[in-house]
Amino acid sequence: MPFDLAESFIHEAERELGAKLPASYRAAMAQANGGAVEVLDDVWQLHPIADTSDRKRLARTANHVLRETESLQGWARFPAGALAIAANGSGDQLVFLRGATSFESAVHLWSHETGELEQVAEDFSELQRI
């Protein structure tokens, strides 16, 4: 169940990543941290941003973007510098690619089987939240 997120937790995630998150993604997660989107006729569960404000929110954000990305970095084909933002339950991920000081706004689908990236949106705001 998505819930609002304090700006301080977004800043903390950016600090740990060493890069700014796309503005539309930041705004969307501040309003509803988690939930799902539909991309290419598939439902993708958004990885929330960690929220440590209380035990309930901490439990709901245990699969946060930093943890999920760290886990995927051990996979042979996961792109260097990518940030996993959503999963479809089959191993594929929606990712942002990192630029010099920020993540690019385009959303890409990463195939765990081939390692290929396919751009699915120019900006997070184009994704249909469900």
Side-chain angles (χ1 to χ4, degrees), residues 36-39 41-45 87-89 130:
V37 294
E38 186 173 337
V39 175
D41 298 323
D42 205 355
V43 174
W44 299 78
Q45 295 300 314
N88 67 355
I130 53 175

Side-chain angles (χ1 to χ4, degrees), residues 12-83:
E12 178 61 20
E14 290 175 328
R15 187 193 64 72
E16 290 186 44
L17 289 164
K20 297 284 282 178
L21 295 166
S24 61
Y25 175 73
R26 292 172 98 255
M29 297 307 275
Q31 185 176 19
N33 187 23
V37 294
E38 186 173 337
V39 175
L40 301 176
D41 298 323
D42 205 355
V43 174
W44 299 78
Q45 295 300 314
L46 291 166
H47 305 310
I49 293 172
D51 182 339
T52 59
S53 59
D54 62 45
R55 292 176 65 153
K56 185 174 185 178
R57 287 181 180 234
L58 179 61
R60 287 184 177 178
T61 62
N63 65 325
H64 59 82
V65 294
L66 296 168
R67 177 174 286 158
E68 292 296 322
T69 299
E70 183 177 301
S71 172
L72 289 162
Q73 288 171 342
W75 293 39
R77 296 185 184 114
F78 192 71
L83 177 68

